[in-house]
Amino acid sequence: MAQDECEPLSPLILYATETGTAEDASNTIARECRRIRLDCRVKNLDSYSSEDLIAEEFVIFVVSTTGNGAHPRSMRALWAMLLRSDLPPDLFSEMSFAVFGLGDTAYERFCWPAKKLFRRLKALGANELCERGEGDEQHQLGIDGALDPWVSTLLDALLKFQHLTKAEVPVSSISLPLSAMSLTMKDSLPHTQPLIREDISSQIATVVCNRRVTADDWFQEVRHFEFSFLKELQYSPGDVAMIRPEPPPDRVQSFLNLMGWANDADLSVFVSRLRTDQAIEWTSSNTTSLRELFTYHLDFSAVPRRSFFLWIRHFAQDATEREKLEEFCQGEGDGAEDLYDYCFKPRRTILEVLLEFRSVCIPKDYIFDVFPALRAREFSIANSTKIHPKQIHLCVAIVKYKTMLKLPRQGLCTTYLSRLQPGDQIRIQIRPGFLRLPSSPSFPVICVGPGTGIAPMRAVIEERIHDGAKNNTLYFGSRSVSKDFYYGEEWHSYQRDETLFLRCAFSRDSPEGVKRTYVQNLIEQDGERIWQIMGKDNGFLFISGSSNKMPAAVRAAVAKAGVSFGNMSDDESIEWVAQLERAGKLIEECWS
């Protein structure tokens, strides 16, 4: 395929993200492409029609990983389209592509969605532009440890395609890029509109209940929330509620004071877009204020990514501070290690960094480039709408800890939720989860939900019991029956009604010297029953909770049941568990 020199390339960058990291990487790739005279189009797969892909010449996919190798929700439509059996093998023969995956080597299925996407595109005739990249969160620079060299390889490939050389690259990599947005202050016009975030996809919810469900003297605070809605809601067990937090007003004011923006904080600001090659979450009206931006849209409490330092090095007025920031931005060596030790390891926030680098003076036009979007947090819905119509229940652990620097830290969203009072109103958006109930309540279901992983399991069990199912099994785990047994009375009530088989592991209630018991240990003990349900009765297994060692340990315990009671070899049992997953009979809804 020859490229007409009169028609410069316009690569499309499609990203699928859960936390914003893939979006940040996409923006970085687009900025680097400017250096070789390419204006990219950056789009979230959420807002891109998969049917349009066949018309694209150059596509760069940036794909994150969620759970145990699952693709992000925003990638579902694309993946469903690519898996159609009627697609011809030369469908994308006119398209060149590159794939960069984001993952964590602490998990078995590292960058799994990116690998599957790469293979499928090749099978459909697409032309590989450069080798697949794989960013690892375990690297001291996070995914940037692999992104930087991969982008260099990508640029070389794009240059070669355009018959250009590096000597013809017009822009230095350390020059200040043009801002993506422009902010015009209306000096004499206060911003008087209510500070309400515009979000047509969310609904107004009223707080009905905010109750602590752990003992008052327990170290961890977990709360049960109930929200009511005016209209009927449509959601299924396993779906998630998305809530965008709001920092406390006094914290916003302190930030504005630090930045020297306090006097302008409530003036009207007209926002306009300058570049289309950056993914900027801005769907509100063009007129806003700085206070509104940092209350509802931009996050100054997050742990910054490396791109934050790449930006603020341009704005440091003090030579010593600027030199230190330049060192942090080195791709490898001592500078990278220093950045890891300074920021990522102790989890310093953006605000804390700016408090130390006092000479950094960020132009208002660059705030959308420098500060990440204030993202909605996802919480598994903890009820069935059939039992609680027009309601959403949540089971939320309030995040509180101390960093390695002994600095107290609170989760922005969970702290926001913990302060809500009955009668308060917030906006909630519902997104599909990964769980899918069996087609009939006659199929047996095993739910594994330790800790706050119990939330979607409560929704599953409520819905199934409402539909008449009695063959329900729950494995719950926590530290102590008297301190953090979430919804214990409900489980015992179902148990008495013989609609639930309940097994609980309270790891800290064991006598001293006795090995602690976890849910995977109980599943291993119940191997014969597990084999009966999963191996003979066509059952389903749902796992929810922290995506650390628990999901893998549960899968191993199920595989062991296949060996002990299904006469399988070790390899056969592992493949059996994999088949259960492929068939949708083993589903994980886990989070890090």
Side-chain angles (χ1 to χ4, degrees):
M1 190 191 312
Q3 177 69 22
D4 188 338
E5 292 184 4
C6 296
E7 297 179 10
L9 303 181
S10 180
L12 172 66
I13 302 177
L14 290 175
Y15 67 89
T17 190
E18 291 285 335
T19 63
T21 307
E23 177 185 308
D24 185 70
S26 298
N27 287 338
T28 297
I29 295 168
R31 286 194 299 271
E32 289 298 302
C33 282
R34 288 183 208 167
R35 297 174 52 217
I36 56 172
R37 304 171 184 170
L38 296 182
D39 282 326
C40 297
R41 294 161 292 143
V42 182
K43 294 183 179 295
N44 190 333
L45 272 169
D46 253 345
S47 59
Y48 183 79
S49 173
S50 301
E51 304 299 327
D52 294 338
L53 195 61
I54 193 172
E56 301 291 347
E57 266 193 290
F58 286 85
V59 186
I60 302 166
F61 296 91
V62 184
V63 180
S64 65
T65 309
T66 184
N68 184 33
H71 54 255
R73 291 176 178 87
S74 60
M75 191 177 165
R76 282 179 171 176
L78 171 66
W79 191 240
M81 186 274 286
L82 293 176
L83 290 182
R84 281 170 39 187
S85 59
D86 60 341
L87 298 181
D90 61 348
L91 179 67
F92 294 123
S93 61
E94 298 297 312
M95 184 180 81
S96 295
F97 78 100
V99 175
F100 186 82
L102 294 78
D104 189 328
T105 50
Y107 300 102
E108 180 182 359
R109 295 181 176 181
F110 172 63
C111 288
W112 207 251
K115 292 174 179 176
K116 292 198 295 184
L117 175 63
F118 184 88
R119 288 196 296 266
R120 185 56 178 158
L121 290 171
K122 291 277 286 183
L124 293 173
N127 305 291
E128 177 185 351
L129 190 61
C130 68
E131 63 183 12
R132 184 180 68 248
E134 297 179 349
D136 182 10
E137 289 289 356
Q138 294 296 318
H139 192 281
Q140 63 179 7
L141 286 178
I143 64 101
D144 285 337
L147 180 63
D148 287 354
W150 183 81
V151 168
S152 179
T153 300
L154 173 68
L155 294 185
D156 286 343
L158 290 169
L159 281 169
K160 184 177 180 180
F161 199 90
Q162 295 182 101
H163 308 292
L164 295 173
T165 65
K166 287 186 176 180
E168 296 174 274
V169 174
V171 182
S172 166
S173 63
I174 61 172
S175 62
L176 175 62
L178 180 69
S179 64
M181 311 289 278
S182 172
L183 275 68
T184 304
M185 306 294 296
K186 305 293 186 180
D187 292 339
S188 59
L189 184 62
H191 184 65
T192 56
Q193 294 180 0
L195 296 181
I196 298 177
R197 184 187 308 107
E198 296 182 18
D199 189 349
I200 60 174
S201 61
S202 63
Q203 302 182 54
I204 295 176
T206 301
V207 179
V208 176
C209 174
N210 175 0
R211 182 181 76 250
R212 180 173 177 137
V213 292
T214 45
D216 291 338
D217 60 349
W218 193 235
F219 76 98
Q220 186 178 38
E221 180 182 358
V222 176
R223 305 192 75 84
H224 171 77
F225 295 91
E226 296 179 8
F227 300 93
S228 66
F229 297 78
L230 293 177
K231 299 179 180 179
E232 294 290 346
L233 301 174
Q234 298 293 324
Y235 60 83
S236 302
D239 287 355
V240 298
M242 298 180 64
I243 299 174
R244 200 182 301 261
E246 299 172 14
D250 59 341
R251 190 169 175 84
V252 175
Q253 185 62 51
S254 296
F255 169 77
L256 293 169
N257 291 342
L258 172 67
M259 302 306 296
W261 297 336
N263 292 337
D264 299 336
D266 298 304
L267 295 179
S268 290
V269 176
F270 183 78
V271 180
S272 58
R273 184 179 289 274
L274 297 179
R275 299 200 65 92
T276 59
D277 67 346
Q278 295 290 281
I280 301 292
E281 284 195 4
W282 180 249
T283 56
S284 298
S285 63
N286 288 338
T287 303
T288 181
S289 70
L290 290 174
R291 188 182 307 279
E292 184 172 306
L293 284 171
F294 286 100
T295 299
Y296 300 120
H297 300 287
L298 299 175
D299 193 352
F300 58 86
S301 300
V303 176
R305 298 186 176 96
R306 180 166 167 262
S307 59
F308 172 80
F309 293 92
L310 290 170
W311 280 109
I312 67 169
R313 62 177 172 165
H314 297 293
F315 308 131
Q317 309 301 307
D318 179 81
T320 303
E321 289 187 1
R322 187 165 56 251
E323 181 181 359
K324 188 61 182 175
L325 290 170
E326 290 285 1
E327 290 176 4
F328 283 163
C329 294
Q330 294 174 8
E332 54 187 30
D334 293 341
E337 188 173 336
D338 288 347
L339 178 59
Y340 175 78
D341 290 337
Y342 170 75
C343 182
F344 306 143
K345 188 176 181 180
R347 298 189 61 77
R348 271 189 172 87
T349 66
I350 290 173
L351 179 60
E352 289 166 347
V353 171
L354 293 173
L355 281 168
E356 294 200 2
F357 288 86
R358 292 275 186 160
S359 79
V360 171
C361 184
I362 301 170
K364 297 185 183 73
D365 282 348
Y366 282 89
I367 61 176
F368 282 92
D369 301 285
V370 173
F371 296 95
L374 184 57
R375 294 187 172 277
R377 274 58 164 178
E378 297 185 356
F379 301 94
S380 293
I381 296 174
N383 68 292
S384 166
T385 188
K386 294 180 180 179
I387 303 293
H388 306 280
K390 299 183 181 179
Q391 289 191 21
I392 282 179
H393 297 184
L394 303 178
C395 181
V396 179
I398 308 304
V399 178
K400 297 178 182 178
Y401 65 97
K402 284 190 176 182
T403 69
M404 60 178 293
L405 301 176
K406 307 302 181 184
L407 296 172
R409 187 79 79 240
Q410 294 181 331
L412 180 61
C413 193
T414 61
T415 300
Y416 165 65
L417 287 172
S418 71
R419 293 171 176 166
L420 294 175
Q421 299 296 318
D424 288 347
Q425 291 188 328
I426 66 171
R427 300 194 74 95
I428 296 179
Q429 180 182 354
I430 299 171
R431 283 187 65 177
F434 293 104
L435 299 184
R436 290 293 179 269
L437 292 186
S439 57
S440 167
S442 62
F443 289 100
V445 166
I446 300 172
C447 296
V448 183
T452 54
I454 196 62
M457 302 298 100
R458 183 174 183 254
V460 168
I461 292 168
E462 281 189 350
E463 182 129 337
R464 281 178 54 80
I465 290 177
H466 174 275
D467 292 345
K470 293 189 175 181
N471 44 4
N472 308 298
T473 298
L474 172 63
Y475 287 90
F476 174 76
S478 67
R479 295 192 176 208
S480 174
V481 65
S482 63
K483 303 294 185 181
D484 57 351
F485 187 15
Y486 313 140
Y487 309 113
E489 287 303 317
E490 294 182 20
W491 310 136
H492 287 314
S493 175
Y494 293 144
Q495 196 176 30
R496 290 191 293 270
D497 294 341
E498 297 184 350
T499 55
L500 180 69
F501 180 83
L502 177 65
R503 291 280 273 153
C504 297
F506 299 107
S507 59
R508 301 304 191 271
D509 284 350
S510 302
E512 188 174 350
V514 176
K515 187 177 180 180
R516 292 172 179 170
T517 300
Y518 300 98
V519 289
Q520 56 264 32
N521 303 125
L522 298 182
I523 291 171
E524 188 172 334
Q525 292 172 18
D526 298 345
E528 187 171 4
R529 188 171 189 275
I530 296 296
W531 171 251
Q532 180 66 40
I533 293 173
M534 300 303 299
K536 294 183 177 181
D537 296 342
N538 209 20
F540 288 69
L541 173 63
F542 300 143
I543 305 171
S544 176
S546 176
S547 56
N548 47 26
K549 297 179 180 180
M550 182 274 295
V554 168
R555 294 162 65 94
V558 173
K560 190 169 183 178
V563 173
S564 300
F565 301 97
N567 297 318
M568 295 180 176
S569 67
D570 289 341
D571 289 343
E572 288 171 338
S573 69
I574 292 171
E575 175 56 25
W576 169 58
V577 172
Q579 288 176 354
L580 291 174
E581 188 167 17
R582 288 193 293 270
K585 294 178 178 296
L586 190 161
I587 303 176
E588 293 183 14
E589 180 76 54
C590 298
W591 52 86
S592 57

